[in-house]
Amino acid sequence: MPPRRRSVLLAKLSIAEPGGRQPKILDELRRVILSGDAPPNTPVPIDEVAEIFGVSRIPVREALKTLIGEGLVDHRPNLGYTVAQLTSAELHEMYVVREVLETAALATAVELATDEDRARAIEADRLLEEAITADDPREYHRRSREFHMSLTRPSRMKRLLHMLDAAWNITEPVQPMVQVAGSDRASLHSDHRTMLEAFLARDADALLLIAQEHSTRLNSVISSISSESGLLAESPPD
């Protein structure tokens, strides 16, 4: 039997924070998974993680239980823990959830947004533009989330925003905007610009309309991500 390859997740873990503090195991595992540095189906070996942090298996296992509850880690008996892997249908389902939650927040956000909120949205759009210009898919993916959050956070709907963050997190290991064509990212960014204009104009109707069009385009784009990429699981037979 060939030796088992070392999990790429291990190389991305950091045991030190600025000031010499040790990060919490849960926070660090979550950070690596959400960054896309540990793709779906990446093993999360308990013993090696425990060794890196200098702890027993118990706190690692507790952290993994929490991540399972968040939909970021899977556990299969006799096979261990892995970064969660969605099917194509499940990925689409999470985008539907995100659309519903975002739509619920946007209209209220337009009404409650302050000048500071609008300035944050303008800055988020500028950073997105930089990522497009630099042709940096990973940076675009990260900045796209920040842009959408800059439009929804002014709603001040804390529980809804928490659910939206959680739904967004579940899709992060796939890094969808990294996987799609540059022309698709450019089209999506054009939607972002129109969304920003409506947000700044406090035009809730226009914002909701373009947000719906954006979601339709987004669903079409993510459907191009094939299970052959290794990022998505095969759909179970009917």
Side-chain angles (χ1 to χ4, degrees):
M1 177 183 295
R4 189 170 64 178
R5 297 177 62 182
R6 181 176 173 85
S7 171
V8 297
L9 176 141
L10 300 174
K12 300 296 182 179
L13 293 173
S14 174
I15 62 172
E17 290 182 337
R21 296 173 299 174
Q22 181 172 341
K24 293 181 181 179
I25 297 170
L26 171 61
D27 292 344
E28 184 59 12
L29 287 171
R30 186 189 291 117
R31 180 192 68 79
V32 173
I33 292 171
L34 294 182
S35 72
D37 285 334
N41 210 34
T42 296
V44 187
I46 289 184
D47 289 336
E48 287 90 333
V49 172
E51 182 178 354
I52 286 173
F53 284 96
V55 298
S56 71
R57 294 164 53 99
I58 295 174
V60 178
R61 189 180 290 112
E62 290 302 311
L64 291 173
K65 286 181 181 178
T66 299
L67 294 173
I68 290 173
E70 295 176 5
L72 295 178
V73 167
D74 288 332
H75 179 255
R76 287 173 287 181
N78 302 319
L79 294 176
Y81 298 89
T82 59
V83 176
Q85 189 176 41
L86 302 173
T87 65
S88 179
E90 288 169 337
L91 180 63
H92 173 72
E93 177 184 340
M94 294 315 303
Y95 271 83
V96 171
V97 172
R98 279 171 41 177
E99 178 185 358
V100 171
L101 294 172
E102 183 173 281
T103 299
L106 283 175
T108 301
V110 170
E111 296 298 327
L112 297 182
T114 64
D115 289 342
E116 186 175 352
D117 292 324
R118 285 184 281 273
R120 288 196 189 99
I122 291 170
E123 175 64 7
D125 179 72
R126 185 188 69 79
L127 294 173
L128 259 178
E129 184 68 33
E130 286 188 355
I132 286 284
T133 302
D135 192 23
D136 187 337
R138 289 196 60 160
E139 183 69 0
Y140 178 84
H141 179 88
R142 185 167 71 91
R143 297 299 184 183
S144 179
R145 177 172 183 167
E146 291 177 2
F147 174 78
H148 279 265
M149 293 305 176
S150 76
L151 300 187
T152 55
R153 285 197 179 108
S155 70
R156 316 291 194 256
M157 301 168 75
K158 293 182 179 180
R159 291 183 184 275
L160 186 150
L161 293 173
H162 175 75
M163 290 188 288
L164 180 57
D165 267 330
W168 203 297
N169 284 350
I170 291 174
T171 66
E172 286 292 65
V174 180
Q175 297 280 290
M177 291 302 99
V178 178
Q179 316 307 326
V180 302
S183 58
D184 288 326
R185 286 192 293 273
S187 296
L188 292 168
H189 183 52
S190 178
D191 291 343
H192 290 152
R193 180 58 54 82
T194 308
M195 291 170 69
L196 176 63
E197 291 171 354
F199 180 79
L200 296 178
R202 303 184 183 183
D203 189 337
D205 290 339
L207 178 57
L208 293 177
L209 179 60
I210 186 58
Q212 184 178 37
E213 293 174 357
H214 179 68
S215 293
T216 299
R217 190 192 311 275
L218 193 54
N219 286 326
S220 176
V221 166
I222 64 168
S223 68
S224 68
I225 302 175
S226 169
S227 59
E228 295 179 0
S229 66
L231 297 171
L232 300 176
E234 295 287 345
S235 298
D238 295 334

